[in-house]
Amino acid sequence: MNPRIVVTGLGALTPIGNSVVEFWQGLLEGRNGINRITRFDPSEFYSQIAGELKNFDPLDRLGRKEIKRLDRYARYALYAAVEAVEDSELLNYPQLDKNRVAVLISSGIGGIETLEIEIKKMLAYGPNRVSPFLVPMMIPDIAAGHIAIKFGFKGPNFCIVSACASSAHAIGEAMKMIQRGDADVVVVGGAEAPITQIAVAGFSSMRALSSRNDEPDKASRPFDAERDGFIIAEGAGIVVLESLDHAIRRDAKIYAELVGYGATADAYHITAPEPNGEGAYMAMKLAIEDAGIKPEDIGYINAHGTSTPLNDKMETKAIKRLFGDYAYKIPISSSKSMIGHTLGAAGAVEFIATVMSVKEGIVHKTRNYEHPDPECDLDYVPDGPHKVDLKYALTNSFGFGGHNASLIVAKYEG
């Protein structure tokens, strides 16, 4: 029998809060985290809005020396990891075997800001001016390496990259790693810092982003009939997973249990989701089967809900196909309606929101759901938050390339 997996530490950096407490409070308040881009002049860009962190100072948790040699995305990852590890009180356990602590940290595009800076430098001054730290700052696996170095964790250490499903896949694979006996504890999640000229230009050229530049607070509107694209955002979500036996041995506080994971591919198109949601349907179905429960046991869905015309329609179809008439009774909300799309970090950030929903028995609203779409006609919690007695909740993440991941969180009952 597989060991039970529990969540014992949480760390978050988001456009509506620089800690888990602030993030959760922001979700319950329905706070807007989307504004005009301040990091560079966006005037010439198709999309000029983003979910930027507010009042973030890495020195609150990190040292000056380590900050200097980290790309922005790795700073975010390390900062959130410090919060998660401290929250877990893992290092207070004298018998902790650091050889049995793994680190899996994902990023969709890694250190793209560093790459952009160094390319500009090379074009202006020649190749000899490129920083020797370019490669170790840019590669997407480096955040996992830095976290391991900081804490001395010597278990398996790597990075899963699957676009916007990256950190959801990482959490699912971390669960399986513990169940296989390869680790007792996994520090896992994702980080992203994509608010750069080249990244925003690339997504803008695809027309994937919202162009509601004059109304940034109204731009992220998942499942709404007037949605016109996602809002690029930055942040990090890191969690500590461990076997229940290990958590009990060290008398850890337990937020919730991770009981199911499903992963599939659309095998359809590099950017567009399969129109009928076949891959999403199968990922959710496999997660439910992995958890050993029935579809009707799911009491809440934290949707991928990107605010794009194709994704939201597809995800709704997949939910209807799997749950049938019961789909209309499930509260469904999108955290992206408040924070935007944190790309490779989204799965972990939204997993944290789902964990908090299960723990507290509250589901947050979907912000800006104002104009019903006949093809998106489920309960998207437009007027939340709502109190709901949750035993099981599901969260979805889908990525370019047709990557799909679903996770199921259960209320911890001993």
Side-chain angles (χ1 to χ4, degrees):
M1 184 175 177
N2 284 330
R4 293 167 66 184
I5 310 301
V6 292
V7 182
T8 58
L10 302 174
L13 264 178
T14 77
I16 58 171
N18 296 336
S19 68
V20 171
V21 169
E22 290 178 6
F23 170 50
W24 179 238
Q25 190 59 40
L27 289 175
L28 297 185
E29 292 173 2
R31 195 182 303 156
N32 169 55
I34 313 303
N35 302 95
R36 184 174 175 81
I37 292 170
T38 64
R39 196 151 299 150
F40 58 86
D41 181 0
S43 301
E44 295 183 7
F45 289 73
Y46 173 80
S47 182
Q48 301 167 14
I49 53 180
E52 295 181 333
L53 299 188
K54 318 291 189 298
N55 305 312
F56 171 66
D57 184 353
L59 288 170
D60 290 342
R61 292 189 185 275
L62 308 178
R64 288 187 187 279
K65 189 174 179 182
E66 61 188 343
I67 290 169
K68 188 176 179 182
R69 293 182 178 176
L70 295 175
D71 180 85
R72 192 185 297 268
Y73 99 93
R75 289 176 205 161
Y76 295 168
L78 195 56
Y79 189 98
V82 170
E83 181 185 8
V85 171
E86 288 180 350
D87 182 46
S88 74
E89 299 184 341
L90 191 62
L91 298 180
N92 295 345
Y93 181 48
Q95 286 77 44
L96 180 68
D97 183 353
K98 292 187 176 182
N99 293 301
R100 302 276 302 163
V101 182
V103 182
L104 273 64
I105 306 298
S106 288
S107 182
I109 51 179
I112 195 166
E113 182 177 62
T114 295
L115 181 61
E116 181 178 286
I117 289 168
E118 295 303 322
I119 287 175
K120 288 178 179 178
K121 193 187 296 182
M122 184 182 73
L123 293 175
Y125 306 112
N128 293 329
R129 295 290 296 275
V130 171
S131 170
F133 297 105
L134 164 62
V135 174
M137 288 176 70
M138 175 194 75
I139 51 180
D141 64 297
I142 207 67
H146 278 292
I147 291 166
I149 291 166
K150 186 172 186 71
F151 297 110
F153 296 150
K154 297 180 180 179
N157 185 288
F158 53 91
C159 170
I160 292 172
V161 179
S162 53
C164 305
S166 296
S167 53
H169 277 127
I171 290 169
E173 294 302 321
M175 170 189 177
K176 297 302 179 184
M177 181 181 288
I178 298 171
Q179 289 178 342
R180 288 195 306 266
D182 295 339
D184 298 323
V185 181
V186 186
V187 179
V188 58
E192 207 78 88
I195 305 174
T196 71
Q197 290 173 298
I198 191 64
V200 175
F203 282 113
S204 288
S205 293
M206 292 172 62
R207 294 298 188 263
L209 302 179
S210 172
S211 62
R212 200 183 288 257
N213 298 316
D214 295 332
E215 292 183 301
D217 61 322
K218 296 283 188 181
S220 189
R221 42 198 320 111
F223 306 105
D224 185 87
E226 295 189 1
R227 65 192 184 276
D228 71 327
F230 75 82
I231 288 77
I232 198 166
E234 60 184 356
I238 308 290
V239 305
V240 176
L241 299 181
E242 58 188 297
S243 69
L244 177 60
D245 288 347
H246 191 272
I248 289 173
R249 280 200 302 274
R250 67 181 192 86
D251 195 27
K253 75 172 179 295
I254 295 172
Y255 283 96
E257 195 167 347
L258 174 58
V259 295
Y261 168 50
T264 65
D266 283 357
Y268 173 74
H269 189 272
I270 58 168
T271 56
E274 199 281 325
N276 293 314
E278 176 68 23
Y281 161 80
M282 280 304 300
M284 291 187 287
K285 184 173 184 290
L286 289 171
I288 287 170
E289 290 173 356
D290 189 42
I293 61 176
K294 303 185 295 294
E296 311 86 74
D297 293 325
I298 299 294
Y300 167 64
I301 298 174
N302 186 292
H304 187 54
T306 57
S307 187
T308 60
L310 294 179
N311 174 85
D312 296 359
K313 180 169 66 173
M314 173 281 293
E315 189 170 11
T316 299
K317 281 185 179 180
I319 291 169
K320 287 180 181 178
R321 179 180 171 191
L322 179 60
F323 293 96
D325 290 342
Y326 179 64
Y328 290 89
K329 299 178 181 178
I330 307 172
I332 301 166
S333 57
S334 171
S335 305
K336 293 181 182 75
S337 66
M338 289 172 248
I339 65 173
H341 194 346
T342 55
L343 307 183
V349 170
E350 290 157 21
F351 178 79
I352 290 169
T354 307
V355 165
M356 293 303 297
S357 288
V358 170
K359 179 179 180 292
E360 300 296 330
I362 304 174
V363 300
H364 69 74
K365 72 186 291 183
T366 297
R367 201 172 189 277
N368 295 324
Y369 184 77
E370 299 168 332
H371 306 95
D373 181 342
E375 294 187 279
C376 297
D377 59 348
L378 300 177
D379 176 10
Y380 305 112
V381 197
D383 58 348
H386 290 172
K387 279 198 163 291
V388 182
D389 185 17
L390 291 175
K391 187 171 182 182
Y392 297 101
L394 182 149
T395 180
N396 287 327
S397 295
F398 313 130
F400 282 175
H403 312 299
N404 308 302
S406 296
L407 300 166
I408 294 178
V409 176
K411 187 171 186 176
Y412 177 66
E413 297 178 327

